[in-house]
Amino acid sequence: MVTKQLNGSRDDADLRRADSLAREIFSDVANKWALLIIEALGEGTLRFTELRNEVEGVSHKMLTQNLRMLERNGLVDRVVHPTVPPRVEYSLTEPGQALRKTVDVMCDWTHRHLRHIEVSRQRFDA
């Protein structure tokens, strides 16, 4: 996995620039599985199977990939307990909790405007 390196310029934080580090991070976290994982982990620490049960429809592969990406970006902590078999738990870091607040706002927006969107889709598809 290749990552852009932070060079200290303001361009690193410019989402409009294709080569910005901010756009890479945004691309990582702004997908449906990452957002749903963040929302689920906002309720507390979960094991892999518990998390998979919370995020209906996610495959084992997609959950694994997204958890690794979120851990790589410092949004999720992964703790392995030395038991047989190993017990692995996932939780949000402080930046992950901060991002969850934004995810909550997006969820609230969806609930508030769901009916309007449904009507618009029906009209468009007619």
Side-chain angles (χ1 to χ4, degrees):
M1 180 180 301
V2 176
T3 298
K4 293 164 186 60
Q5 296 298 310
L6 188 65
N7 64 24
S9 76
R10 291 167 35 137
D11 294 339
D12 289 327
D14 188 350
L15 283 173
R16 295 170 296 171
R17 291 181 53 96
D19 63 344
S20 74
L21 183 58
R23 186 182 282 192
E24 181 180 319
I25 295 165
F26 187 79
S27 177
D28 281 351
V29 299
N31 76 70
K32 71 177 178 181
W33 297 125
L35 294 174
L36 292 171
I37 291 166
I38 290 165
E39 181 65 19
L41 287 175
E43 299 300 318
T45 300
L46 295 172
R47 294 177 70 179
F48 186 90
T49 304
E50 294 170 327
L51 189 51
R52 188 165 177 204
N53 291 337
E54 286 291 318
V55 182
E56 189 175 320
V58 69
S59 69
H60 186 280
K61 178 183 176 182
M62 290 308 296
L63 182 55
T64 299
Q65 286 177 351
N66 277 274
L67 283 169
R68 286 181 181 160
M69 175 273 300
L70 291 167
E71 183 181 7
R72 179 174 181 260
N73 283 309
L75 302 173
V76 167
D77 271 333
R78 178 179 180 265
V79 176
V80 180
H81 297 278
T83 60
V84 178
R87 190 176 87 232
V88 182
E89 296 177 330
Y90 299 90
S91 59
L92 292 178
T93 62
E94 187 177 326
Q97 287 287 354
L99 181 56
R100 191 210 180 204
K101 291 177 185 174
T102 300
V103 173
D104 285 346
V105 169
M106 292 172 64
C107 291
D108 291 343
W109 176 89
T110 303
H111 290 124
R112 276 195 315 275
H113 299 287
L114 189 60
R115 184 67 187 135
H116 171 82
I117 293 168
E118 286 177 325
V119 169
S120 294
R121 286 180 171 192
Q122 289 170 355
R123 198 176 17 211
F124 185 87
D125 293 342

